[in-house]
């Protein structure tokens, strides 16, 4: 955002924006989420705030010149949401995991206390009312004084925190679930106390209602919390992957093999680390000594161990299975692949789907709407309803609901039931729990889905665009043919081509260099290397200007292919081979043909997408005949060839005029196209670039993971819909019943205790339904 001064000729610089994450405690429902977001965005200097109920974090973009994170944390703490700044710079993944483990242990203790308290409340309350269901009368427990004492203790001990938090929220204009429960509990308790102390009123005492209400609330929250913990277990497993210690060595090639163990966060880039069989890799690094097999399943989702030798990379957190290896550290701390995966998953779990933003907005005003409905319910039955339907005051008419003959008590019971049954818990849990489970499953399989908004994009797709090299093909071409046109020896041609390519680094160049090495050809002296991405390479070799690239690029440089040379070249392109032309001093001297084979699962992937009604499109910089050869093998009808990397994004934008498309590429050269597409999917791309540009990052080497990622996204989105339908449907049915719509005709009402039980059941149902996603995607 650029702020303009009052004088047109002067401009203030754009303010810097930073991001901070706060751990926020005390949120109980979607109303709390909305209240926290509203409180944050109202502060001067806060650009945006995104709050997640399940992970209990707030991600805030702010202007450091205007406001500080400490101030934001203090403001949230003052209004009943204890908050702390999460510092990624000072906490390692192990420390974060340790802190979360300690917090979980404390929560587990509190959950046991809550379960025991809930059980005591529900058991004693039930035993005291066995006589109402034809059971025996138990001395003391059936006494009204006992129930008064039990209700009082329930209000003062487990209910105290709920009531205080509810009042705090209401006083700050942020009514929440605890506000509704607190109002319902106190209303039932105070009314029963009046009836108990003034028996001449003839009112019924229902001390069991606040007792059972609090019992069900505690039971529901405990079950819900346990389910939420199970949903977030996958991310904690990722955090626990990286070991805490590393074995540092000096020169790995010297006779001195001694090592020293130091904390992994103290390892620096460029230092050498030894890893023994059975140990986890502590840092990202390049193997410089030793051979082994590494289990990368928890990072890439690939279950088969990968053979590694010197020159290959190892990822932090993966398991060294067989040999002793020494690594040269390339990345440490938050720059490792594992740390980036963890950050990506955490960010994904915070990013909201548009449908969730609507649900949170509704929930923010929901509590006030419910309080209004409860008041209307009370006024209707107290002033009109009992006169319009006098039968509702007959105990025999409402026998199944243990109704009262007093209009006041009947109206209060119905109003309390409305307050309790309509808590917006299920609405707030519907989306974040599904996203949490879906992204966790993805991280276990090497599929990084970057947020709830991505899920909706997958649902809306009409087609999928594939890059060719390294995406549909294996990305490791080899030279199959090379020949000259005017007497130059074929070995000289290959030697010149390899020399020019020594200044570049792309799959075709690597293949030419490998072929020259196989033929025992040395590189010549070269200088003035110039590379044009996707087109070719130019260099000066022994005083001569050499060009190596595709036909279109050489034409731009003024070089032409003669007609009598075309026939043989056409044979190569028709065979699906990529042809590279070599030009020397203004004329084309020869060509090299390379073949890049299809990935084993490319045909299956394309066929599966087409079965689902998605149009598959091939987009490549290669020659049209080569592209058509690949398209024919895969049964792809729409092909765009000879598209330079700089033009791919423009072509995607053109296609988007008629449909919504995903782009699948390698995450490096295809970055602009990935960003332009409605959905970007990066296949084994550069992690940093892929994290920035792609919506879904595939960490494995399986092209079919495109299908798996889309299935997981669609499955998660279906769970979101199911959860929201349940949450909204539950409230749509429960509120009218609680308000007494069935009372005149059928004599059915919801007691406050039963309303509390239903409310707790709705929240547990939503979380459990999200967890069922795991059973659909078992490996």
């Amino acid at each position: 955002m650029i702020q303009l001064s009052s004088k047109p000729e002067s401009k203030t610089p754009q303010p810097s924006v930073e991001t901070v994450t706060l751990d926020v405690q005390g949120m109980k429902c979607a109303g709390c989420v909305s209240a926290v977001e509203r409180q944050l965005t109202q502060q001067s200097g806060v650009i945006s705030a995104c709050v997640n109920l399940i992970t209990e974090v707030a991600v805030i973009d702010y202007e450091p010149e205007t406001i500080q994170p400490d101030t934001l944390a203090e403001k949230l703490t003052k209004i009943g949401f204890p908050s702390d700044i999460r510092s990624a710079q000072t906490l390692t993944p192990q420390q974060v995991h340790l802190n979360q483990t300690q917090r979980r242990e404390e929560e587990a203790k509190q959950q046991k206390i809550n379960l025991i308290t809930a059980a005591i409340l529900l058991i004693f309350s039930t035993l005291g009312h066995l006589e109402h269901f034809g059971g025996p009368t138990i001395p003391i427990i059936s006494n009204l004084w006992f129930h008064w004492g039990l209700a009082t203790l329930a209000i003062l001990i487990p209910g105290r925190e709920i009531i205080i938090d509810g009042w705090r929220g209401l006083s700050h204009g942020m009514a929440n679930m605890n506000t509704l429960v607190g109002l319902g509990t106190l209303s039932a308790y105070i009314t029963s106390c009046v009836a108990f102390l003034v028996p001449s009123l003839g009112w019924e005492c229902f001390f069991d209602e606040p007792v059972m209400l609090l019992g069900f609330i505690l039971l529901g929250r405990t079950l819900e919390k346990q389910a939420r913990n199970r949903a977030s277990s996958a991310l904690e497993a990722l955090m626990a992957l990286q070991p805490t210690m590393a074995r540092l060595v000096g020169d790995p090639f010297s006779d001195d093999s001694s090592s020293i163990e130091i904390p992994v966060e103290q390892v620096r880039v460029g230092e050498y680390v030894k890893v023994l069989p059975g140990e986890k890799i502590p840092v990202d690094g390049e193997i410089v000594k030793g051979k082994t097999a590494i289990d990368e399943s928890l990072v890439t989702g690939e279950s088969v161990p990968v053979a590694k030798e010197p020159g290959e990379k190892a990822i932090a957190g993966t398991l060294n299975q067989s040999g002793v290896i020494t690594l040269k550290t390339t990345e440490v701390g938050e720059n490792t692949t594992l740390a980036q995966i963890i950050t990506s998953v955490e960010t994904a779990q915070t990013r909201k789907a548009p449908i969730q933003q609507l649900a949170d907005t509704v929930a923010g005003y929901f509590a006030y709407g419910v309080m209004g409905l409860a008041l209307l319910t009370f006024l209707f039955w107290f002033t009109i309803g009992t006169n319009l339907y006098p039968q509702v005051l007959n105990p025999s008419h409402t026998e199944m609901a243990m109704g009262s003959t007093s209009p006041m008590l009947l109206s209060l019971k119905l109003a309390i039931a409305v307050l309790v049954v309509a808590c917006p818990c299920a609405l707030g849990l519907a989306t974040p729990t599904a996203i949490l489970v879906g992204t966790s499953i993805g991280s276990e399989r090497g599929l990084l889905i970057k947020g709830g908004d991505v899920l909706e994009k997958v649902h809306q797709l009409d087609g999928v665009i594939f890059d060719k090299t390294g995406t549909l093909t294996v990305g490791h071409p080899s030279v199959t043919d090379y020949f000259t046109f005017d007497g130059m020896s074929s070995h000289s041609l290959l030697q010149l081509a390899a020399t020019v390519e020594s200044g570049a680094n792309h799959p075709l160049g690597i293949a030419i260099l490998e072929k020259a090495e196989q033929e025992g050809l040395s590189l010549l002296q070269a200088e003035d290397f110039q590379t044009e991405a996707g087109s070719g390479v130019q260099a000066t070799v022994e005083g001569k200007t050499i060009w190596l690239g595709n036909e279109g690029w050489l034409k731009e440089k003024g070089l032409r292919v003669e007609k009598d040379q075309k026939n043989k070249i056409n044979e190569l392109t028709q065979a699906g081979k990529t042809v590279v032309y070599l030009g020397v001093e203004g004329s084309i001297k020869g060509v090299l043909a390379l073949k890049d084979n299809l990935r084993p699962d490319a045909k299956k992937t394309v066929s599966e997408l087409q079965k689902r009604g998605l149009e598959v499109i091939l987009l490549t910089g290669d020659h049209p005949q080569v592209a058509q050869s690949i398209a024919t093998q895969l049964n792809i009808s729409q092909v765009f060839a000879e598209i330079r990397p700089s033009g791919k994004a423009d072509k995607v934008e053109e296609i988007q005029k008629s449909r919504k498309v995903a782009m699948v590429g390698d995450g490096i050269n295809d970055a602009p196209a990935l960003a332009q597409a409605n959905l970007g999917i990066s296949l084994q791309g550069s992690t940093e670039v892929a994290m920035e540009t792609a919506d879904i990052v595939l960490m494995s080497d399986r092209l079919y993971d495109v299908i798996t990622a889309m299935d997981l996204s669609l499955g998660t989105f279906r769970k979101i819909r199911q959860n929201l339908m349940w949450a909204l449907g539950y409230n749509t049915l429960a509120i009218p019943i609680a308000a007494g719509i069935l009372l005149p005709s059928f004599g059915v009402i919801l007691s406050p205790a039963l309303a509390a039980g239903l409310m707790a059941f709705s929240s547990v149902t939503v979380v459990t339904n999200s967890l069922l996603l795991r059973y659909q995607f078992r490996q």
Side-chain angles (χ1 to χ4, degrees):
M1 180 175 65
I2 300 177
Q3 298 177 340
L4 299 178
S5 66
S6 56
K7 296 180 180 180
E9 66 274 9
S10 64
K11 296 181 180 180
T12 57
Q14 184 176 1
S16 60
V17 177
E18 295 184 6
T19 301
V20 66
T21 301
L22 301 183
D23 289 307
V24 184
Q25 301 177 35
M27 295 187 293
K28 303 296 190 301
C29 62
C32 297
V33 171
S34 181
V36 171
E37 286 185 347
R38 190 165 61 249
Q39 179 67 28
L40 289 170
T41 53
Q42 286 174 352
Q43 305 303 317
S44 177
V46 173
I47 307 301
S48 65
C50 186
V51 181
N52 190 288
L53 174 64
I54 304 301
T55 55
E56 297 181 322
V57 299
V59 179
I60 307 157
D61 291 333
Y62 69 100
E63 297 172 1
E65 298 88 354
T66 308
I67 195 165
Q68 291 300 311
D70 289 334
T71 305
L72 297 174
E74 288 173 7
K75 287 184 178 294
L76 290 182
T77 301
K78 284 180 181 178
I79 62 172
F81 299 103
S83 303
D84 293 301
I85 299 171
R86 177 182 293 184
S87 176
Q89 285 72 32
T90 58
L91 291 182
T92 64
Q94 298 91 340
Q95 290 171 324
V96 172
H97 176 65
L98 180 61
N99 291 344
Q100 291 189 341
T101 301
Q102 292 172 344
R103 191 180 71 174
R104 285 288 166 82
E105 290 175 353
E106 293 174 1
E107 287 179 351
K109 291 178 183 177
Q110 186 60 47
Q111 287 173 11
K112 287 181 181 178
I113 295 172
N114 289 345
L115 275 176
I116 294 171
T117 304
I120 291 172
L121 294 177
L122 294 173
I123 290 171
F124 277 104
S125 186
T126 302
L127 289 175
H129 288 83
L130 286 177
E131 57 185 290
H132 294 290
F133 302 98
T137 300
I138 303 175
I140 302 177
I141 293 180
S142 297
N143 188 281
L144 201 55
W145 282 98
F146 174 81
H147 285 282
W148 171 81
L150 186 63
T152 303
L153 288 174
I155 293 286
L156 293 177
I157 302 176
R160 180 174 177 272
E161 181 182 347
I162 292 174
I163 293 169
I164 291 175
D165 182 73
W167 169 251
R168 185 190 295 116
L170 187 61
S171 64
H172 285 96
M174 299 182 297
N176 55 29
M177 171 185 169
N178 284 344
T179 304
L180 301 179
V181 173
L183 283 173
T185 304
L186 284 176
S187 299
Y189 177 76
I190 292 171
T191 302
S192 297
C193 284
V194 172
F196 183 50
L197 296 173
V198 189
S200 60
L201 292 174
W203 291 2
E204 173 196 357
C205 290
F206 48 103
F207 286 118
D208 60 309
E209 300 292 3
V211 173
M212 297 192 77
L213 194 156
L214 290 171
F216 278 123
I217 293 295
L218 289 175
L219 178 63
R221 286 187 180 177
T222 302
L223 295 176
E224 175 195 312
K225 190 67 177 178
Q226 289 177 344
R228 284 160 59 175
N229 288 346
R230 286 197 297 273
S232 61
S233 59
L235 181 58
E236 292 191 7
L238 275 177
M239 289 184 173
L241 280 179
Q242 193 173 13
T244 57
M245 304 296 289
R247 188 174 285 103
L248 197 65
V249 297
D251 183 358
F253 305 104
S254 68
D255 295 333
D256 183 4
S257 60
S258 61
S259 62
I260 182 172
E261 288 195 6
I262 65 171
V264 70
E265 58 268 21
Q266 295 179 12
V267 178
R268 299 291 178 259
V269 173
E271 293 182 325
Y272 296 99
V273 174
K274 180 187 289 186
V275 187
L276 302 180
E279 292 183 342
K280 291 178 181 177
I281 309 293
V283 294
D284 280 6
E286 179 184 327
I287 299 175
V288 296
K289 186 178 181 181
K291 296 181 180 181
T292 188
I294 296 179
D295 180 359
E296 298 180 339
S297 59
L298 288 176
V299 175
T300 66
E302 179 59 65
S303 57
V304 179
V306 181
K308 298 282 187 177
E309 57 185 28
E312 295 188 284
K313 294 181 178 180
I315 302 172
T318 56
L319 182 64
N320 179 29
Q321 288 196 329
S322 53
V324 178
I325 56 174
T326 303
L327 306 174
K328 183 179 181 180
T329 304
T330 56
E331 300 290 351
V332 295
E334 60 185 17
N335 295 320
T336 64
T337 301
L338 177 62
Q340 290 185 2
I341 291 173
I342 292 171
T343 300
S344 177
V345 174
E346 284 185 318
T347 303
Q349 293 175 353
T350 304
R351 281 171 59 178
K352 296 182 180 181
I355 197 169
Q356 181 188 352
Q357 293 173 346
L358 176 62
D360 286 349
T361 301
V362 171
Y365 301 98
F366 195 76
Y368 293 103
V370 170
M371 287 189 284
L373 284 174
L375 180 61
L376 288 175
T377 299
F378 174 82
L379 292 175
F380 171 80
W381 285 107
F382 187 66
T383 59
I384 301 173
T386 50
N387 293 321
L388 192 61
Y389 306 106
Q391 69 271 24
V392 300
L393 297 176
N394 187 344
S396 62
H397 179 74
T398 56
E399 183 177 355
M400 63 181 294
M402 296 176 62
S404 168
T405 56
S406 166
M408 171 66 76
L409 285 182
L410 178 64
S411 302
L412 272 173
K413 277 191 174 183
L414 292 171
I416 293 169
V418 171
L419 282 173
V420 175
V421 82
C423 286
C425 270
L427 192 63
L429 293 168
T431 299
T433 52
I435 292 175
L436 184 70
V437 174
T439 52
S440 296
I441 293 171
S443 68
E444 293 171 359
R445 296 184 170 214
L447 314 173
L448 303 184
I449 301 171
K450 293 176 64 175
D453 50 338
V454 174
L455 305 176
E456 293 196 35
K457 291 178 183 178
V458 175
H459 176 72
Q460 298 165 354
L461 291 178
D462 301 308
V464 180
I465 302 171
F466 281 95
D467 173 50
K468 181 181 76 69
T469 305
T471 302
L472 290 174
T473 62
V474 295
H476 301 293
S478 57
V479 176
T480 59
D481 307 88
Y482 57 99
F483 52 87
T484 62
F485 298 138
D486 63 353
M488 176 191 288
S489 70
S490 57
H491 276 172
S492 295
L493 173 78
L494 180 60
Q495 189 177 36
L496 279 173
T499 300
V500 174
E501 285 292 358
S502 65
N505 182 23
H506 56 80
L508 296 182
I510 293 171
I512 293 171
L513 286 166
E514 288 176 349
K515 184 66 175 178
E517 186 178 350
Q518 291 172 9
E519 297 291 339
L521 301 175
S522 60
L523 299 180
L524 304 173
Q525 292 293 324
E527 58 185 2
D528 299 331
F529 290 96
Q530 298 177 31
T531 301
E532 188 164 339
S535 298
V537 184
Q538 176 183 332
T540 302
V541 181
E542 296 181 343
K544 297 180 179 180
T545 302
I546 311 294
W547 294 273
L548 185 71
N550 60 40
E551 183 180 3
W553 184 66
L554 264 69
K555 281 183 179 179
E556 290 180 6
K557 302 298 181 182
L559 286 75
R560 293 287 185 272
V561 178
E562 301 299 330
K563 289 184 179 180
D564 60 346
Q565 301 167 351
K566 279 284 190 181
N567 292 336
K568 195 168 185 179
I569 294 172
N570 288 339
E571 290 177 6
L572 297 174
T573 55
Q574 288 170 3
K577 298 178 181 180
T578 298
V579 176
V580 179
Y581 297 79
L582 180 79
V584 180
E585 291 293 298
S587 64
I588 295 177
K589 298 295 185 180
V591 298
L592 298 92
L594 300 95
K595 183 71 178 287
D596 188 5
N597 294 320
L598 285 173
R599 287 179 180 270
D601 53 354
K603 192 168 186 178
K604 180 182 177 183
T605 302
V606 171
S607 176
E608 187 63 33
L609 289 170
Q610 291 170 336
K611 285 179 184 177
R612 298 173 184 214
L614 295 171
E615 183 178 7
V616 178
I617 302 168
L618 177 60
L619 183 64
T620 178
D622 217 330
H623 192 279
Q625 287 182 305
V626 176
Q628 190 57 54
S629 174
I630 295 293
T632 301
Q633 295 178 60
L634 297 175
N635 195 29
I636 297 174
S637 58
Q638 192 164 2
V639 181
F640 297 97
E642 291 187 335
I643 306 295
R644 294 185 178 182
S646 58
K648 286 187 177 181
D650 294 333
K651 180 58 67 174
V652 171
E653 184 178 9
E654 180 183 325
I655 295 171
Q656 285 176 307
K657 293 177 181 178
S658 59
R659 71 212 91 168
K660 293 185 177 180
V661 293
M663 173 71 193
V664 184
D666 63 14
I668 304 173
N669 292 334
D670 297 317
L674 289 171
Q676 174 62 43
N678 300 96
L679 178 77
I681 303 177
S682 174
L683 179 68
Q684 269 206 322
S686 165
T687 302
E688 184 177 351
V689 175
M691 294 289 183
E692 289 295 325
T693 58
D695 299 298
I696 298 176
V697 181
L698 311 182
M699 302 299 293
S700 74
D701 195 31
R702 300 181 298 265
L703 184 62
Y704 196 77
D705 274 352
V706 170
I707 303 293
T708 307
M710 294 178 72
D711 282 346
L712 180 58
S713 299
L714 292 171
T716 305
F717 190 65
R718 280 194 295 269
K719 285 297 178 186
I720 292 173
R721 281 184 164 179
Q722 292 169 9
N723 289 346
L724 287 173
M725 286 177 63
W726 166 258
L728 294 172
Y730 158 80
N731 280 307
T732 302
L733 292 174
I735 291 176
I737 295 174
I741 194 172
L742 300 179
L743 181 56
S745 302
F746 303 100
V748 175
I749 65 171
L750 291 180
S751 67
L754 182 57
L758 285 174
M759 186 274 295
F761 174 72
S762 70
S763 298
V764 174
T765 299
V766 163
V767 180
T768 303
N769 185 49
S770 297
L771 287 171
L772 290 176
L773 193 63
R774 286 195 168 275
Y775 293 95
Q776 298 176 20
F777 287 90
R778 280 179 171 172
Q779 285 185 316

